Amino acid sequence: MCASPVAASNVLTCTDSYRPLSTPEDPLSRFALIKAVLGPIMRLMFRPQVEGMEQIPGDGPVILAGNHLTFIDSIVLPVVTKRQVCFIGKDEYVTGKGFKGRLMAWFFTGVGMIPVDRDGANGGVAALMTGRRILEEGKVFGIYPEGTRSPDGRLYRGRTGIARLTLMTGAPVVPFAMIGTDKLQPGGRGIPRPGRVTVRFGAPMEFSRYDGMDRDRYVLRAVTDSVMAEVMRLSGQEYVDMYATKAKAA
């Protein structure tokens, strides 16, 4: 998943052009710097136990799809993976003011976050098309199918954007589970406390049998539910067949 500081004018919308991460603009070198400097600190703080890292292909497009418990999920994942993971993030992560705002923007864009205004009328389309372009470049794209953090630690129904991406690009889906991050940062707020987290990756899933059916809503739901079933198996979470956003609004 990718995150880094950029000015508000650089936040992607549906009509903006996407700049590949492989350009000389330095996200890759910043990623290496962050891993080298901050990686050991974060490993010491969160003591991540990684299971199934070999499930992530060493090259080519890959979708990492997992649960979302708290804010630090997006910090832990880039630290433990060998390949850079690009992901969509809230534009507010890179538009903050002052030293703290600039530091957050530098970190998140450096590890691979692509800021998108997801609250706009075309936010969903912008996120989907950005993910598609990343995968077409042969990179790793990370996504939380629930669409938001779990309000209570349970696993909620997945949005079908994950299915559209895998069917449009042919990229395999590697499910993953974050375990214990919510204990270190309850509610996603405040400074996380030190502790141990587990990141568990499952076997790649491919859906070539549904080629050409990326507009069939029944197929999209079936693919999404298959991915979420694997995430549930890996995480051990209780599953709730409703969207997390609806649960939060209740």
Side-chain angles (χ1 to χ4, degrees), residues 34-200:
I34 288 170
K35 293 268 284 190
V37 176
L38 298 184
I41 298 174
M42 293 182 183
R43 288 182 182 277
L44 181 64
M45 185 173 183
F46 302 130
R47 293 179 292 154
Q49 176 179 319
V50 183
E51 301 174 8
M53 178 67 75
E54 71 280 0
Q55 302 289 5
I56 303 176
D59 54 42
V62 182
I63 301 170
L64 298 185
N67 60 335
H68 195 12
L69 297 173
T70 191
F71 175 77
I72 62 171
D73 295 339
S74 298
I75 296 177
V76 173
L77 189 66
V79 170
V80 302
T81 51
K82 295 179 181 178
R83 296 181 63 185
Q84 185 179 22
V85 183
C86 302
F87 58 97
I88 299 298
K90 294 180 181 179
D91 54 2
E92 64 190 59
Y93 291 161
V94 302
T95 56
K97 305 299 182 182
F99 176 76
K100 179 181 177 181
R102 291 194 297 272
L103 182 62
M104 286 183 62
W106 182 86
F107 173 83
F108 278 114
T109 53
V111 296
M113 190 193 94
I114 309 297
V116 171
D117 179 9
R118 296 181 300 180
D119 296 328
N122 296 313
V125 176
L128 186 67
M129 291 301 101
T130 300
R132 180 177 183 175
R133 288 191 288 264
I134 289 169
L135 292 168
E136 288 175 345
E137 292 173 10
K139 302 185 183 301
V140 181
F141 183 67
I143 186 171
Y144 302 120
E146 293 169 280
T148 187
R149 294 192 294 265
S150 170
D152 54 17
R154 296 185 293 177
L155 185 69
Y156 283 80
R157 196 178 201 211
R159 302 280 181 174
T160 57
I162 175 68
R164 292 181 185 277
L165 280 175
T166 186
L167 296 184
M168 286 190 299
T169 65
V173 178
V174 173
F176 72 88
M178 307 295 298
I179 302 170
T181 53
D182 55 333
K183 302 297 190 297
L184 306 187
Q185 192 184 35
R189 295 179 294 273
I191 298 175
R193 63 174 69 105
R196 178 176 292 280
V197 301
T198 298
V199 185
R200 185 175 295 149

